[in-house]
Amino acid sequence: MGATTTENLQPRIYVACLAAYNSGYLHGAWIDAAQEAWTIWDAVKDMLTASPIAGAEEWAIHDYEGFGEVRIEEYTGFERVSDLACFIAEHGEIGSALLDHFSGDIEEAREAMADRYLGAHDSLADYVQELTEESTAIPHALRYYVDWQAMARDAQMSGDLFTVTAAWDVVHVFAGC
Protein backbone atom coordinates (compact mmCIF):
# COMPACT_ATOMS: atom_id res chain seq x y z
CA MET A 1 0.00 0.00 0.00
CA GLY A 2 1.40 3.41 -0.85
CA ALA A 3 0.79 6.87 -2.15
CA THR A 4 1.15 7.73 -5.78
CA THR A 5 2.43 11.24 -6.36
CA THR A 6 1.71 11.52 -10.08
CA GLU A 7 0.59 15.05 -10.92
CA ASN A 8 -3.03 15.96 -11.67
CA LEU A 9 -4.51 12.76 -10.26
CA GLN A 10 -7.90 13.06 -8.68
CA PRO A 11 -7.86 11.51 -5.20
CA ARG A 12 -9.19 7.98 -5.25
CA ILE A 13 -8.96 4.81 -3.19
CA TYR A 14 -8.86 1.12 -4.09
CA VAL A 15 -11.15 -0.80 -1.77
CA ALA A 16 -10.82 -4.58 -1.74
CA CYS A 17 -13.25 -7.28 -0.65
CA LEU A 18 -11.52 -9.17 2.17
CA ALA A 19 -13.62 -12.33 1.77
CA ALA A 20 -12.47 -12.59 -1.85
CA TYR A 21 -8.90 -11.67 -0.93
CA ASN A 22 -8.76 -14.37 1.76
CA SER A 23 -10.13 -16.89 -0.76
CA GLY A 24 -7.43 -16.10 -3.31
CA TYR A 25 -9.36 -13.69 -5.53
CA LEU A 26 -8.52 -10.09 -6.28
CA HIS A 27 -11.82 -8.25 -6.17
CA GLY A 28 -12.18 -4.56 -5.48
CA ALA A 29 -12.84 -1.19 -7.05
CA TRP A 30 -11.17 2.16 -7.56
CA ILE A 31 -13.50 4.76 -6.05
CA ASP A 32 -13.43 8.51 -6.53
CA ALA A 33 -12.69 9.85 -3.05
CA ALA A 34 -13.73 13.46 -3.70
CA GLN A 35 -17.38 12.84 -2.88
CA GLU A 36 -19.57 12.45 0.19
CA ALA A 37 -18.59 9.70 2.62
CA TRP A 38 -21.96 7.96 2.17
CA THR A 39 -21.46 7.88 -1.59
CA ILE A 40 -18.11 6.18 -1.06
CA TRP A 41 -19.78 3.69 1.28
CA ASP A 42 -22.48 3.01 -1.37
CA ALA A 43 -19.74 2.26 -3.93
CA VAL A 44 -18.09 -0.12 -1.44
CA LYS A 45 -21.42 -1.90 -0.85
CA ASP A 46 -21.87 -2.26 -4.61
CA MET A 47 -18.37 -3.74 -4.89
CA LEU A 48 -19.12 -6.19 -2.04
CA THR A 49 -22.41 -7.20 -3.64
CA ALA A 50 -20.54 -8.05 -6.87
CA SER A 51 -17.95 -10.12 -4.98
CA PRO A 52 -17.29 -13.68 -6.14
CA ILE A 53 -17.80 -14.70 -2.49
CA ALA A 54 -21.45 -14.67 -1.45
CA GLY A 55 -22.35 -12.58 1.59
CA ALA A 56 -19.08 -10.59 1.57
CA GLU A 57 -19.12 -7.85 4.20
CA GLU A 58 -15.55 -6.92 5.06
CA TRP A 59 -13.41 -4.50 3.11
CA ALA A 60 -10.09 -2.68 3.37
CA ILE A 61 -8.40 0.16 1.52
CA HIS A 62 -5.50 -1.50 -0.29
CA ASP A 63 -4.22 1.45 -2.32
CA TYR A 64 -4.75 5.14 -2.97
CA GLU A 65 -3.53 7.92 -5.22
CA GLY A 66 -3.81 11.67 -5.55
CA PHE A 67 -3.37 12.39 -1.82
CA GLY A 68 0.20 13.71 -2.02
CA GLU A 69 2.23 12.63 1.00
CA VAL A 70 -0.80 12.12 3.28
CA ARG A 71 -1.12 8.46 4.28
CA ILE A 72 -4.39 6.61 3.94
CA GLU A 73 -4.45 3.48 6.09
CA GLU A 74 -6.40 0.27 5.47
CA TYR A 75 -9.26 1.29 7.73
CA THR A 76 -9.20 5.08 7.46
CA GLY A 77 -12.79 6.23 7.80
CA PHE A 78 -14.61 7.35 4.70
CA GLU A 79 -15.42 10.69 6.36
CA ARG A 80 -11.70 11.49 6.64
CA VAL A 81 -10.97 10.16 3.15
CA SER A 82 -13.77 12.34 1.77
CA ASP A 83 -12.62 15.45 3.69
CA LEU A 84 -9.03 15.11 2.49
CA ALA A 85 -9.99 14.31 -1.10
CA CYS A 86 -12.52 17.15 -1.36
CA PHE A 87 -9.95 19.65 -0.03
CA ILE A 88 -7.37 18.46 -2.56
CA ALA A 89 -9.93 18.46 -5.39
CA GLU A 90 -10.97 22.02 -4.51
CA HIS A 91 -7.47 23.49 -4.07
CA GLY A 92 -5.34 21.25 -6.30
CA GLU A 93 -1.60 21.00 -5.72
CA ILE A 94 -1.58 23.80 -3.15
CA GLY A 95 -4.18 21.90 -1.10
CA SER A 96 -2.05 18.77 -1.21
CA ALA A 97 1.06 20.76 -0.27
CA LEU A 98 -0.78 22.38 2.66
CA LEU A 99 -1.94 19.01 3.95
CA ASP A 100 1.66 17.80 3.71
CA HIS A 101 2.83 20.90 5.61
CA PHE A 102 0.31 20.31 8.39
CA SER A 103 0.88 16.52 8.51
CA GLY A 104 -2.64 15.76 7.31
CA ASP A 105 -4.41 18.12 9.76
CA ILE A 106 -7.37 19.10 7.59
CA GLU A 107 -8.65 21.81 9.95
CA GLU A 108 -5.29 23.60 10.02
CA ALA A 109 -5.05 23.39 6.24
CA ARG A 110 -8.59 24.77 5.80
CA GLU A 111 -7.95 27.63 8.20
CA ALA A 112 -4.64 28.53 6.54
CA MET A 113 -6.19 28.50 3.07
CA ALA A 114 -9.21 30.55 4.12
CA ASP A 115 -7.60 33.12 6.41
CA ARG A 116 -3.84 33.27 5.93
CA TYR A 117 -3.10 32.82 2.23
CA LEU A 118 -1.05 35.73 0.87
CA GLY A 119 -0.61 34.60 -2.73
CA ALA A 120 1.82 32.89 -5.08
CA HIS A 121 5.26 34.38 -5.68
CA ASP A 122 8.56 33.46 -7.28
CA SER A 123 10.17 33.36 -3.83
CA LEU A 124 9.54 34.44 -0.27
CA ALA A 125 12.15 37.19 -0.77
CA ASP A 126 10.10 38.56 -3.69
CA TYR A 127 7.01 38.66 -1.49
CA VAL A 128 8.88 40.44 1.32
CA GLN A 129 10.31 42.95 -1.14
CA GLU A 130 6.90 43.64 -2.69
CA LEU A 131 5.23 44.04 0.70
CA THR A 132 7.98 46.31 2.00
CA GLU A 133 8.04 48.52 -1.07
CA GLU A 134 4.23 48.90 -0.98
CA SER A 135 4.17 49.86 2.69
CA THR A 136 7.45 51.72 3.27
CA ALA A 137 9.27 54.46 1.38
CA ILE A 138 12.82 53.24 0.92
CA PRO A 139 15.27 56.00 -0.02
CA HIS A 140 16.79 55.38 -3.43
CA ALA A 141 20.32 55.49 -2.02
CA LEU A 142 19.52 52.61 0.39
CA ARG A 143 17.67 50.26 -2.01
CA TYR A 144 20.86 48.39 -2.94
CA TYR A 145 21.69 47.65 0.69
CA VAL A 146 18.43 45.90 1.60
CA ASP A 147 18.93 42.14 1.92
CA TRP A 148 15.54 40.72 0.88
CA GLN A 149 16.74 37.13 1.35
CA ALA A 150 17.72 37.83 4.96
CA MET A 151 14.40 39.56 5.63
CA ALA A 152 12.52 36.58 4.16
CA ARG A 153 14.58 34.12 6.21
CA ASP A 154 13.92 36.13 9.40
CA ALA A 155 10.16 36.27 8.69
CA GLN A 156 10.09 32.53 8.16
CA MET A 157 12.26 31.67 11.17
CA SER A 158 10.17 33.90 13.45
CA GLY A 159 6.98 32.16 12.31
CA ASP A 160 5.51 35.34 10.82
CA LEU A 161 5.36 33.67 7.40
CA PHE A 162 5.59 30.17 5.97
CA THR A 163 5.58 28.80 2.46
CA VAL A 164 4.53 25.68 0.64
CA THR A 165 5.74 24.72 -2.81
CA ALA A 166 3.39 23.18 -5.34
CA ALA A 167 5.44 23.84 -8.47
CA TRP A 168 9.17 24.11 -8.96
CA ASP A 169 9.20 27.88 -9.56
CA VAL A 170 6.36 29.10 -7.31
CA VAL A 171 5.98 29.40 -3.57
CA HIS A 172 2.67 29.99 -1.87
CA VAL A 173 3.03 32.39 1.05
CA PHE A 174 0.96 32.18 4.23
CA ALA A 175 0.86 34.29 7.35
CA GLY A 176 2.06 32.39 10.41
CA CYS A 177 -0.11 31.70 13.43
Side-chain angles (χ1 to χ4, degrees):
M1 185 165 75
T4 303
T5 57
T6 306
E7 291 181 30
N8 298 326
L9 285 179
Q10 288 298 320
R12 62 186 192 147
I13 55 175
Y14 181 81
V15 182
C17 169
L18 291 181
Y21 183 80
N22 291 333
S23 297
Y25 300 102
L26 292 177
H27 177 76
W30 280 101
I31 300 170
D32 174 18
Q35 55 186 336
E36 292 293 325
W38 285 107
T39 307
I40 296 172
W41 173 237
D42 287 343
V44 170
K45 287 191 298 188
D46 290 345
M47 179 273 300
L48 291 171
T49 300
S51 174
I53 307 299
E57 296 177 343
E58 296 180 349
W59 56 268
I61 298 171
H62 280 190
D63 203 359
Y64 58 95
E65 61 186 21
F67 286 89
E69 298 299 316
V70 176
R71 278 186 62 83
I72 304 295
E73 303 292 338
E74 278 186 312
Y75 298 106
T76 300
F78 294 143
E79 188 75 32
R80 174 152 172 82
V81 168
S82 172
D83 285 348
L84 292 169
C86 288
F87 185 80
I88 291 169
E90 179 180 354
H91 299 291
E93 289 180 341
I94 186 174
S96 181
L98 259 180
L99 287 168
D100 294 346
H101 178 80
F102 289 115
S103 302
D105 186 334
I106 186 76
E107 294 307 318
E108 276 288 324
R110 280 185 181 136
E111 192 270 330
M113 194 70 212
D115 299 333
R116 298 187 280 153
Y117 185 54
L118 302 172
H121 300 274
D122 291 337
S123 69
L124 184 57
D126 286 347
Y127 170 76
V128 169
Q129 180 178 359
E130 180 183 314
L131 178 66
T132 304
E133 288 176 345
E134 286 177 359
S135 61
T136 305
I138 301 172
H140 187 43
L142 296 179
R143 286 187 182 274
Y144 302 106
Y145 296 98
V146 178
D147 187 345
W148 302 114
Q149 293 289 347
M151 288 177 67
R153 183 190 64 240
D154 290 349
Q156 195 162 23
M157 289 179 68
S158 70
D160 291 338
L161 299 173
F162 73 90
T163 63
V164 297
T165 303
W168 69 273
D169 60 346
V170 176
V171 296
H172 296 275
V173 180
F174 293 84
C177 295

